Amino acid sequence: AAQHFRRAAEIDPDDHDARLELAVALSRSGALPEAHRTLEQLVADAPTFAPARLALATLLAQMGRATEAIEAAHQMLALDATDAELVGAHMLAGRLSEGVDPGRAEAHYREALRLDESPRARFRLALVLGRQSRFDEASVEFDALVEAVPDEPSYRVGQTMALLLGESYPAAKAALDSARQRFPDNVDFAHTLARLLATSPDDTVRDGAAAMELARQAFEGRQSIDHAETLGMALAEMGRFEEAASWQRQVVAQREQQGPGPPLERSRRYLSLYESGQPVRAPWLEGG
């Protein structure tokens, strides 16, 4: 494909589409430096050709040159481009800005969403809001995603975590109940609901017996350390602290094999609670 597009560009150097496709073919074949040179020359020859600038920004991101990629995306945004091209530039600039400037990333995603109400822009916006601990705002975006695309599990996961981290426990339970109705065989939803029912600080949400049943289902479906730990939480909520402590000691032993870190510290803290006759409350919160 690159050979054909190269020949087309040689025949007509003003065929910007052919030169752009040449660069795309080169990048897909792994010839990133040549693709970069091709795009830089195309941008120099046709500075108002928006697709070339967007392709250049994307390629720079692929090459790990994030600062230059953001600058290229911003230059493209100043051009007279189609909505689709502008959305692409905003999405790219947003992704590249997330780690260094969440506020700027948010602005890009909001503008992309204004131009095109696509789930991908709303999803990235919701994630950025969540990472800034703006959980109420994030949950609004996730609610809209779930309503628009009810069969996408990842949107329901985000919705649930935004509600849990925002301490909206009854709403989180309602969201998980809805998710389980939609995905009755999803082990992760069963596990998260079990943990919520076992540990919620809201007395109206906790239900030890239901938590135990769901925790057992989750553990039988996937015998992971997290699922085992949730079983211990359910036992503690039912006042069966000796059993919870015995179960948790096995969890701590497995965590110790994985090495030091926050998971091991949390597991040891849970064990101390059980040994002193106390249940866990809100394990999603820092220090929980």
Side-chain angles (χ1 to χ4, degrees), residues 64-113:
R65 297 161 64 172
T67 302
E68 294 172 78
I70 292 175
E71 179 59 30
H74 287 165
Q75 290 175 357
M76 198 235 105
L77 289 170
L79 301 179
D80 183 15
T82 67
D83 283 354
E85 291 164 348
L86 293 172
V87 167
H90 279 298
M91 291 297 294
L92 178 62
R95 288 296 296 269
L96 293 170
S97 301
E98 283 185 11
V100 293
D101 191 344
R104 196 175 197 182
E106 177 188 344
H108 281 298
Y109 292 139
R110 289 195 183 280
E111 184 60 19
L113 196 55

mmCIF file of all heavy atoms in Angstrom, residues 64-113:
data_model
loop_
_atom_site.group_PDB
_atom_site.id
_atom_site.type_symbol
_atom_site.label_atom_id
_atom_site.label_comp_id
_atom_site.label_asym_id
_atom_site.label_seq_id
_atom_site.Cartn_x
_atom_site.Cartn_y
_atom_site.Cartn_z
ATOM 1 N N GLY A 64 5.695 8.542 21.430
ATOM 2 C CA GLY A 64 6.021 8.899 22.796
ATOM 3 C C GLY A 64 6.418 10.348 22.985
ATOM 4 O O GLY A 64 6.913 10.732 24.050
ATOM 5 N N ARG A 65 6.173 11.180 21.990
ATOM 6 C CA ARG A 65 6.545 12.600 22.054
ATOM 7 C C ARG A 65 5.295 13.411 22.404
ATOM 8 O O ARG A 65 4.727 14.127 21.586
ATOM 9 C CB ARG A 65 7.180 13.028 20.724
ATOM 10 C CG ARG A 65 8.476 12.273 20.461
ATOM 11 C CD ARG A 65 8.921 12.274 19.019
ATOM 12 N NE ARG A 65 9.251 13.591 18.504
ATOM 13 C CZ ARG A 65 9.811 13.806 17.311
ATOM 14 N NH1 ARG A 65 10.134 12.772 16.538
ATOM 15 N NH2 ARG A 65 10.066 15.035 16.906
ATOM 16 N N ALA A 66 4.877 13.269 23.675
ATOM 17 C CA ALA A 66 3.577 13.787 24.096
ATOM 18 C C ALA A 66 3.466 15.298 23.995
ATOM 19 O O ALA A 66 2.441 15.831 23.545
ATOM 20 C CB ALA A 66 3.296 13.346 25.525
ATOM 21 N N THR A 67 4.500 16.025 24.412
ATOM 22 C CA THR A 67 4.441 17.488 24.378
ATOM 23 C C THR A 67 4.255 17.998 22.964
ATOM 24 O O THR A 67 3.424 18.880 22.697
ATOM 25 C CB THR A 67 5.715 18.089 24.985
ATOM 26 O OG1 THR A 67 5.862 17.623 26.335
ATOM 27 C CG2 THR A 67 5.648 19.612 24.986
ATOM 28 N N GLU A 68 5.007 17.427 22.028
ATOM 29 C CA GLU A 68 4.873 17.837 20.625
ATOM 30 C C GLU A 68 3.515 17.426 20.066
ATOM 31 O O GLU A 68 2.930 18.146 19.246
ATOM 32 C CB GLU A 68 5.985 17.192 19.791
ATOM 33 C CG GLU A 68 7.378 17.669 20.142
ATOM 34 C CD GLU A 68 8.440 16.852 19.427
ATOM 35 O OE1 GLU A 68 8.671 17.092 18.223
ATOM 36 O OE2 GLU A 68 9.012 15.946 20.075
ATOM 37 N N ALA A 69 3.018 16.283 20.511
ATOM 38 C CA ALA A 69 1.717 15.814 20.032
ATOM 39 C C ALA A 69 0.608 16.769 20.465
ATOM 40 O O ALA A 69 -0.296 17.093 19.680
ATOM 41 C CB ALA A 69 1.446 14.404 20.552
ATOM 42 N N ILE A 70 0.655 17.210 21.728
ATOM 43 C CA ILE A 70 -0.352 18.152 22.210
ATOM 44 C C ILE A 70 -0.292 19.450 21.425
ATOM 45 O O ILE A 70 -1.319 20.011 21.028
ATOM 46 C CB ILE A 70 -0.159 18.420 23.716
ATOM 47 C CG1 ILE A 70 -0.490 17.163 24.529
ATOM 48 C CG2 ILE A 70 -1.041 19.574 24.173
ATOM 49 C CD1 ILE A 70 -0.225 17.302 26.007
ATOM 50 N N GLU A 71 0.921 19.934 21.169
ATOM 51 C CA GLU A 71 1.075 21.173 20.409
ATOM 52 C C GLU A 71 0.520 21.019 18.998
ATOM 53 O O GLU A 71 -0.166 21.907 18.481
ATOM 54 C CB GLU A 71 2.549 21.568 20.360
ATOM 55 C CG GLU A 71 2.837 22.844 19.579
ATOM 56 C CD GLU A 71 2.108 24.064 20.131
ATOM 57 O OE1 GLU A 71 1.855 24.101 21.351
ATOM 58 O OE2 GLU A 71 1.791 24.970 19.327
ATOM 59 N N ALA A 72 0.789 19.876 18.373
ATOM 60 C CA ALA A 72 0.272 19.632 17.020
ATOM 61 C C ALA A 72 -1.251 19.578 17.023
ATOM 62 O O ALA A 72 -1.911 20.088 16.114
ATOM 63 C CB ALA A 72 0.856 18.338 16.462
ATOM 64 N N ALA A 73 -1.829 18.962 18.057
ATOM 65 C CA ALA A 73 -3.291 18.890 18.155
ATOM 66 C C ALA A 73 -3.887 20.278 18.336
ATOM 67 O O ALA A 73 -4.902 20.620 17.723
ATOM 68 C CB ALA A 73 -3.689 17.985 19.321
ATOM 69 N N HIS A 74 -3.254 21.109 19.157
ATOM 70 C CA HIS A 74 -3.744 22.467 19.369
ATOM 71 C C HIS A 74 -3.651 23.301 18.090
ATOM 72 O O HIS A 74 -4.533 24.119 17.798
ATOM 73 C CB HIS A 74 -2.961 23.133 20.498
ATOM 74 C CG HIS A 74 -3.319 22.605 21.847
ATOM 75 N ND1 HIS A 74 -2.563 22.820 22.970
ATOM 76 C CD2 HIS A 74 -4.360 21.842 22.256
ATOM 77 C CE1 HIS A 74 -3.125 22.233 24.011
ATOM 78 N NE2 HIS A 74 -4.212 21.622 23.596
ATOM 79 N N GLN A 75 -2.588 23.099 17.320
ATOM 80 C CA GLN A 75 -2.460 23.812 16.045
ATOM 81 C C GLN A 75 -3.577 23.404 15.090
ATOM 82 O O GLN A 75 -4.126 24.238 14.372
ATOM 83 C CB GLN A 75 -1.097 23.520 15.424
ATOM 84 C CG GLN A 75 0.069 24.162 16.165
ATOM 85 C CD GLN A 75 1.412 23.756 15.603
ATOM 86 O OE1 GLN A 75 1.503 22.935 14.680
ATOM 87 N NE2 GLN A 75 2.482 24.306 16.161
ATOM 88 N N MET A 76 -3.935 22.127 15.118
ATOM 89 C CA MET A 76 -5.016 21.663 14.252
ATOM 90 C C MET A 76 -6.344 22.276 14.654
ATOM 91 O O MET A 76 -7.186 22.599 13.812
ATOM 92 C CB MET A 76 -5.099 20.141 14.335
ATOM 93 C CG MET A 76 -5.867 19.492 13.194
ATOM 94 S SD MET A 76 -7.194 18.449 13.821
ATOM 95 C CE MET A 76 -8.601 19.481 13.464
ATOM 96 N N LEU A 77 -6.544 22.474 15.966
ATOM 97 C CA LEU A 77 -7.803 23.023 16.448
ATOM 98 C C LEU A 77 -8.026 24.460 15.991
ATOM 99 O O LEU A 77 -9.148 24.957 16.013
ATOM 100 C CB LEU A 77 -7.848 22.958 17.980
ATOM 101 C CG LEU A 77 -7.995 21.555 18.572
ATOM 102 C CD1 LEU A 77 -7.775 21.567 20.072
ATOM 103 C CD2 LEU A 77 -9.358 20.974 18.244
ATOM 104 N N ALA A 78 -6.952 25.121 15.573
ATOM 105 C CA ALA A 78 -7.072 26.500 15.094
ATOM 106 C C ALA A 78 -7.479 26.566 13.627
ATOM 107 O O ALA A 78 -7.739 27.654 13.103
ATOM 108 C CB ALA A 78 -5.748 27.235 15.290
ATOM 109 N N LEU A 79 -7.561 25.425 12.967
ATOM 110 C CA LEU A 79 -7.884 25.393 11.541
ATOM 111 C C LEU A 79 -9.383 25.246 11.321
ATOM 112 O O LEU A 79 -10.141 24.896 12.224
ATOM 113 C CB LEU A 79 -7.153 24.218 10.873
ATOM 114 C CG LEU A 79 -5.629 24.210 10.961
ATOM 115 C CD1 LEU A 79 -5.090 22.962 10.279
ATOM 116 C CD2 LEU A 79 -5.041 25.469 10.332
ATOM 117 N N ASP A 80 -9.788 25.487 10.080
ATOM 118 C CA ASP A 80 -11.177 25.249 9.664
ATOM 119 C C ASP A 80 -11.295 23.765 9.332
ATOM 120 O O ASP A 80 -10.939 23.335 8.234
ATOM 121 C CB ASP A 80 -11.509 26.119 8.449
ATOM 122 C CG ASP A 80 -12.965 25.959 8.019
ATOM 123 O OD1 ASP A 80 -13.747 25.419 8.817
ATOM 124 O OD2 ASP A 80 -13.296 26.360 6.886
ATOM 125 N N ALA A 81 -11.777 22.991 10.292
ATOM 126 C CA ALA A 81 -11.818 21.535 10.122
ATOM 127 C C ALA A 81 -13.241 21.043 10.312
ATOM 128 O O ALA A 81 -14.123 21.760 10.784
ATOM 129 C CB ALA A 81 -10.895 20.868 11.139
ATOM 130 N N THR A 82 -13.464 19.796 9.931
ATOM 131 C CA THR A 82 -14.777 19.184 10.145
ATOM 132 C C THR A 82 -14.963 18.882 11.629
ATOM 133 O O THR A 82 -13.984 18.793 12.395
ATOM 134 C CB THR A 82 -14.904 17.874 9.353
ATOM 135 O OG1 THR A 82 -13.994 16.904 9.903
ATOM 136 C CG2 THR A 82 -14.594 18.091 7.880
ATOM 137 N N ASP A 83 -16.211 18.688 12.037
ATOM 138 C CA ASP A 83 -16.472 18.352 13.430
ATOM 139 C C ASP A 83 -15.766 17.062 13.829
ATOM 140 O O ASP A 83 -15.222 16.954 14.933
ATOM 141 C CB ASP A 83 -17.978 18.209 13.665
ATOM 142 C CG ASP A 83 -18.686 19.555 13.753
ATOM 143 O OD1 ASP A 83 -17.987 20.600 13.736
ATOM 144 O OD2 ASP A 83 -19.927 19.569 13.834
ATOM 145 N N ALA A 84 -15.752 16.092 12.923
ATOM 146 C CA ALA A 84 -15.108 14.814 13.234
ATOM 147 C C ALA A 84 -13.615 14.998 13.471
ATOM 148 O O ALA A 84 -13.033 14.387 14.374
ATOM 149 C CB ALA A 84 -15.346 13.818 12.106
ATOM 150 N N GLU A 85 -12.979 15.839 12.662
ATOM 151 C CA GLU A 85 -11.544 16.100 12.831
ATOM 152 C C GLU A 85 -11.285 16.844 14.135
ATOM 153 O O GLU A 85 -10.324 16.547 14.857
ATOM 154 C CB GLU A 85 -11.024 16.897 11.644
ATOM 155 C CG GLU A 85 -10.999 16.098 10.351
ATOM 156 C CD GLU A 85 -10.854 16.967 9.105
ATOM 157 O OE1 GLU A 85 -11.008 18.207 9.216
ATOM 158 O OE2 GLU A 85 -10.604 16.397 8.035
ATOM 159 N N LEU A 86 -12.144 17.799 14.454
ATOM 160 C CA LEU A 86 -11.985 18.542 15.704
ATOM 161 C C LEU A 86 -12.189 17.639 16.912
ATOM 162 O O LEU A 86 -11.450 17.743 17.901
ATOM 163 C CB LEU A 86 -12.965 19.714 15.735
ATOM 164 C CG LEU A 86 -12.711 20.833 14.721
ATOM 165 C CD1 LEU A 86 -13.862 21.825 14.727
ATOM 166 C CD2 LEU A 86 -11.397 21.538 15.023
ATOM 167 N N VAL A 87 -13.173 16.762 16.827
ATOM 168 C CA VAL A 87 -13.393 15.809 17.917
ATOM 169 C C VAL A 87 -12.154 14.939 18.109
ATOM 170 O O VAL A 87 -11.702 14.701 19.239
ATOM 171 C CB VAL A 87 -14.633 14.936 17.643
ATOM 172 C CG1 VAL A 87 -14.681 13.749 18.607
ATOM 173 C CG2 VAL A 87 -15.908 15.763 17.784
ATOM 174 N N GLY A 88 -11.581 14.470 17.007
ATOM 175 C CA GLY A 88 -10.382 13.648 17.092
ATOM 176 C C GLY A 88 -9.238 14.377 17.766
ATOM 177 O O GLY A 88 -8.515 13.804 18.591
ATOM 178 N N ALA A 89 -9.058 15.658 17.413
ATOM 179 C CA ALA A 89 -7.980 16.445 18.016
ATOM 180 C C ALA A 89 -8.236 16.682 19.497
ATOM 181 O O ALA A 89 -7.316 16.600 20.327
ATOM 182 C CB ALA A 89 -7.836 17.776 17.278
ATOM 183 N N HIS A 90 -9.474 16.992 19.849
ATOM 184 C CA HIS A 90 -9.801 17.200 21.266
ATOM 185 C C HIS A 90 -9.596 15.922 22.074
ATOM 186 O O HIS A 90 -9.071 15.957 23.194
ATOM 187 C CB HIS A 90 -11.245 17.677 21.407
ATOM 188 C CG HIS A 90 -11.439 19.143 21.158
ATOM 189 N ND1 HIS A 90 -10.832 20.112 21.934
ATOM 190 C CD2 HIS A 90 -12.157 19.814 20.214
ATOM 191 C CE1 HIS A 90 -11.184 21.313 21.491
ATOM 192 N NE2 HIS A 90 -11.983 21.158 20.451
ATOM 193 N N MET A 91 -10.016 14.793 21.521
ATOM 194 C CA MET A 91 -9.860 13.527 22.230
ATOM 195 C C MET A 91 -8.381 13.202 22.435
ATOM 196 O O MET A 91 -7.969 12.769 23.519
ATOM 197 C CB MET A 91 -10.548 12.400 21.464
ATOM 198 C CG MET A 91 -12.070 12.499 21.442
ATOM 199 S SD MET A 91 -12.820 12.367 23.091
ATOM 200 C CE MET A 91 -12.403 10.670 23.502
ATOM 201 N N LEU A 92 -7.573 13.415 21.406
ATOM 202 C CA LEU A 92 -6.141 13.131 21.518
ATOM 203 C C LEU A 92 -5.490 14.059 22.533
ATOM 204 O O LEU A 92 -4.744 13.614 23.408
ATOM 205 C CB LEU A 92 -5.474 13.288 20.154
ATOM 206 C CG LEU A 92 -3.960 13.073 20.130
ATOM 207 C CD1 LEU A 92 -3.614 11.648 20.557
ATOM 208 C CD2 LEU A 92 -3.392 13.354 18.743
ATOM 209 N N ALA A 93 -5.787 15.357 22.435
ATOM 210 C CA ALA A 93 -5.207 16.309 23.380
ATOM 211 C C ALA A 93 -5.659 16.013 24.801
ATOM 212 O O ALA A 93 -4.883 16.156 25.753
ATOM 213 C CB ALA A 93 -5.589 17.734 22.978
ATOM 214 N N GLY A 94 -6.913 15.589 24.946
ATOM 215 C CA GLY A 94 -7.410 15.240 26.277
ATOM 216 C C GLY A 94 -6.673 14.065 26.873
ATOM 217 O O GLY A 94 -6.243 14.106 28.031
ATOM 218 N N ARG A 95 -6.505 13.012 26.087
ATOM 219 C CA ARG A 95 -5.804 11.823 26.588
ATOM 220 C C ARG A 95 -4.369 12.156 26.989
ATOM 221 O O ARG A 95 -3.869 11.687 28.008
ATOM 222 C CB ARG A 95 -5.796 10.723 25.519
ATOM 223 C CG ARG A 95 -7.136 10.067 25.283
ATOM 224 C CD ARG A 95 -7.638 9.314 26.509
ATOM 225 N NE ARG A 95 -6.794 8.200 26.890
ATOM 226 C CZ ARG A 95 -6.932 6.959 26.461
ATOM 227 N NH1 ARG A 95 -7.923 6.671 25.631
ATOM 228 N NH2 ARG A 95 -6.133 6.005 26.867
ATOM 229 N N LEU A 96 -3.707 12.979 26.187
ATOM 230 C CA LEU A 96 -2.312 13.324 26.471
ATOM 231 C C LEU A 96 -2.182 14.276 27.648
ATOM 232 O O LEU A 96 -1.136 14.337 28.286
ATOM 233 C CB LEU A 96 -1.668 13.951 25.231
ATOM 234 C CG LEU A 96 -1.495 13.010 24.029
ATOM 235 C CD1 LEU A 96 -1.079 13.784 22.796
ATOM 236 C CD2 LEU A 96 -0.464 11.933 24.341
ATOM 237 N N SER A 97 -3.256 15.018 27.949
ATOM 238 C CA SER A 97 -3.213 15.993 29.041
ATOM 239 C C SER A 97 -3.638 15.403 30.380
ATOM 240 O O SER A 97 -3.405 16.025 31.424
ATOM 241 C CB SER A 97 -4.126 17.187 28.713
ATOM 242 O OG SER A 97 -3.738 17.834 27.521
ATOM 243 N N GLU A 98 -4.252 14.237 30.379
ATOM 244 C CA GLU A 98 -4.846 13.698 31.603
ATOM 245 C C GLU A 98 -3.863 13.628 32.763
ATOM 246 O O GLU A 98 -4.177 13.999 33.881
ATOM 247 C CB GLU A 98 -5.442 12.319 31.331
ATOM 248 C CG GLU A 98 -6.768 12.366 30.608
ATOM 249 C CD GLU A 98 -7.392 10.982 30.467
ATOM 250 O OE1 GLU A 98 -6.893 10.036 31.112
ATOM 251 O OE2 GLU A 98 -8.376 10.847 29.713
ATOM 252 N N GLY A 99 -2.660 13.131 32.489
ATOM 253 C CA GLY A 99 -1.705 12.928 33.573
ATOM 254 C C GLY A 99 -1.025 14.192 34.054
ATOM 255 O O GLY A 99 -0.543 14.232 35.189
ATOM 256 N N VAL A 100 -0.971 15.215 33.219
ATOM 257 C CA VAL A 100 -0.224 16.424 33.571
ATOM 258 C C VAL A 100 -1.123 17.618 33.859
ATOM 259 O O VAL A 100 -0.750 18.525 34.608
ATOM 260 C CB VAL A 100 0.776 16.791 32.452
ATOM 261 C CG1 VAL A 100 1.856 15.735 32.350
ATOM 262 C CG2 VAL A 100 0.072 16.956 31.113
ATOM 263 N N ASP A 101 -2.303 17.652 33.269
ATOM 264 C CA ASP A 101 -3.199 18.801 33.433
ATOM 265 C C ASP A 101 -4.647 18.321 33.297
ATOM 266 O O ASP A 101 -5.270 18.492 32.242
ATOM 267 C CB ASP A 101 -2.878 19.872 32.390
ATOM 268 C CG ASP A 101 -3.591 21.191 32.673
ATOM 269 O OD1 ASP A 101 -4.539 21.193 33.477
ATOM 270 O OD2 ASP A 101 -3.198 22.214 32.082
ATOM 271 N N PRO A 102 -5.209 17.723 34.375
ATOM 272 C CA PRO A 102 -6.575 17.202 34.287
ATOM 273 C C PRO A 102 -7.605 18.246 33.899
ATOM 274 O O PRO A 102 -8.575 17.945 33.204
ATOM 275 C CB PRO A 102 -6.834 16.667 35.701
ATOM 276 C CG PRO A 102 -5.477 16.414 36.266
ATOM 277 C CD PRO A 102 -4.591 17.464 35.677
ATOM 278 N N GLY A 103 -7.402 19.488 34.337
ATOM 279 C CA GLY A 103 -8.340 20.548 33.983
ATOM 280 C C GLY A 103 -8.374 20.801 32.494
ATOM 281 O O GLY A 103 -9.445 21.010 31.903
ATOM 282 N N ARG A 104 -7.217 20.787 31.879
ATOM 283 C CA ARG A 104 -7.142 20.972 30.428
ATOM 284 C C ARG A 104 -7.765 19.786 29.707
ATOM 285 O O ARG A 104 -8.464 19.949 28.700
ATOM 286 C CB ARG A 104 -5.677 21.130 30.005
ATOM 287 C CG ARG A 104 -5.473 21.698 28.624
ATOM 288 C CD ARG A 104 -3.998 21.915 28.361
ATOM 289 N NE ARG A 104 -3.784 22.811 27.241
ATOM 290 C CZ ARG A 104 -2.579 23.141 26.776
ATOM 291 N NH1 ARG A 104 -1.489 22.658 27.369
ATOM 292 N NH2 ARG A 104 -2.455 23.965 25.752
ATOM 293 N N ALA A 105 -7.506 18.588 30.221
ATOM 294 C CA ALA A 105 -8.113 17.394 29.620
ATOM 295 C C ALA A 105 -9.628 17.478 29.694
ATOM 296 O O ALA A 105 -10.335 17.165 28.723
ATOM 297 C CB ALA A 105 -7.609 16.146 30.338
ATOM 298 N N GLU A 106 -10.145 17.908 30.838
ATOM 299 C CA GLU A 106 -11.585 18.049 31.002
ATOM 300 C C GLU A 106 -12.159 19.003 29.955
ATOM 301 O O GLU A 106 -13.207 18.722 29.349
ATOM 302 C CB GLU A 106 -11.907 18.564 32.405
ATOM 303 C CG GLU A 106 -13.386 18.801 32.644
ATOM 304 C CD GLU A 106 -13.663 19.493 33.965
ATOM 305 O OE1 GLU A 106 -12.764 19.519 34.831
ATOM 306 O OE2 GLU A 106 -14.788 20.008 34.123
ATOM 307 N N ALA A 107 -11.487 20.137 29.749
ATOM 308 C CA ALA A 107 -11.965 21.117 28.774
ATOM 309 C C ALA A 107 -12.019 20.519 27.373
ATOM 310 O O ALA A 107 -12.968 20.759 26.614
ATOM 311 C CB ALA A 107 -11.066 22.349 28.793
ATOM 312 N N HIS A 108 -10.999 19.730 27.021
ATOM 313 C CA HIS A 108 -10.981 19.086 25.704
ATOM 314 C C HIS A 108 -12.149 18.109 25.561
ATOM 315 O O HIS A 108 -12.822 18.075 24.523
ATOM 316 C CB HIS A 108 -9.661 18.367 25.483
ATOM 317 C CG HIS A 108 -8.538 19.275 25.095
ATOM 318 N ND1 HIS A 108 -8.555 20.015 23.928
ATOM 319 C CD2 HIS A 108 -7.350 19.554 25.694
ATOM 320 C CE1 HIS A 108 -7.431 20.715 23.838
ATOM 321 N NE2 HIS A 108 -6.690 20.457 24.894
ATOM 322 N N TYR A 109 -12.394 17.302 26.587
ATOM 323 C CA TYR A 109 -13.476 16.322 26.498
ATOM 324 C C TYR A 109 -14.838 16.993 26.451
ATOM 325 O O TYR A 109 -15.740 16.531 25.738
ATOM 326 C CB TYR A 109 -13.401 15.347 27.669
ATOM 327 C CG TYR A 109 -12.191 14.444 27.628
ATOM 328 C CD1 TYR A 109 -11.473 14.142 28.786
ATOM 329 C CD2 TYR A 109 -11.748 13.897 26.428
ATOM 330 C CE1 TYR A 109 -10.369 13.325 28.745
ATOM 331 C CE2 TYR A 109 -10.639 13.092 26.382
ATOM 332 C CZ TYR A 109 -9.947 12.802 27.545
ATOM 333 O OH TYR A 109 -8.844 11.984 27.498
ATOM 334 N N ARG A 110 -14.992 18.080 27.178
ATOM 335 C CA ARG A 110 -16.271 18.794 27.132
ATOM 336 C C ARG A 110 -16.517 19.385 25.744
ATOM 337 O O ARG A 110 -17.654 19.381 25.251
ATOM 338 C CB ARG A 110 -16.307 19.887 28.208
ATOM 339 C CG ARG A 110 -16.411 19.346 29.625
ATOM 340 C CD ARG A 110 -16.795 20.414 30.619
ATOM 341 N NE ARG A 110 -16.823 19.907 31.987
ATOM 342 C CZ ARG A 110 -17.828 19.206 32.503
ATOM 343 N NH1 ARG A 110 -18.895 18.935 31.773
ATOM 344 N NH2 ARG A 110 -17.781 18.794 33.762
ATOM 345 N N GLU A 111 -15.464 19.873 25.126
ATOM 346 C CA GLU A 111 -15.631 20.428 23.782
ATOM 347 C C GLU A 111 -15.908 19.314 22.775
ATOM 348 O O GLU A 111 -16.742 19.474 21.878
ATOM 349 C CB GLU A 111 -14.381 21.202 23.381
ATOM 350 C CG GLU A 111 -14.473 21.921 22.038
ATOM 351 C CD GLU A 111 -15.589 22.952 21.969
ATOM 352 O OE1 GLU A 111 -16.074 23.392 23.038
ATOM 353 O OE2 GLU A 111 -15.994 23.315 20.837
ATOM 354 N N ALA A 112 -15.233 18.192 22.925
ATOM 355 C CA ALA A 112 -15.505 17.054 22.048
ATOM 356 C C ALA A 112 -16.946 16.589 22.207
ATOM 357 O O ALA A 112 -17.623 16.265 21.223
ATOM 358 C CB ALA A 112 -14.545 15.905 22.363
ATOM 359 N N LEU A 113 -17.434 16.602 23.438
ATOM 360 C CA LEU A 113 -18.805 16.185 23.710
ATOM 361 C C LEU A 113 -19.805 17.179 23.132
ATOM 362 O O LEU A 113 -20.880 16.799 22.663
ATOM 363 C CB LEU A 113 -18.998 16.047 25.209
ATOM 364 C CG LEU A 113 -20.212 15.283 25.724
ATOM 365 C CD1 LEU A 113 -20.269 13.878 25.134
ATOM 366 C CD2 LEU A 113 -20.182 15.219 27.241
#
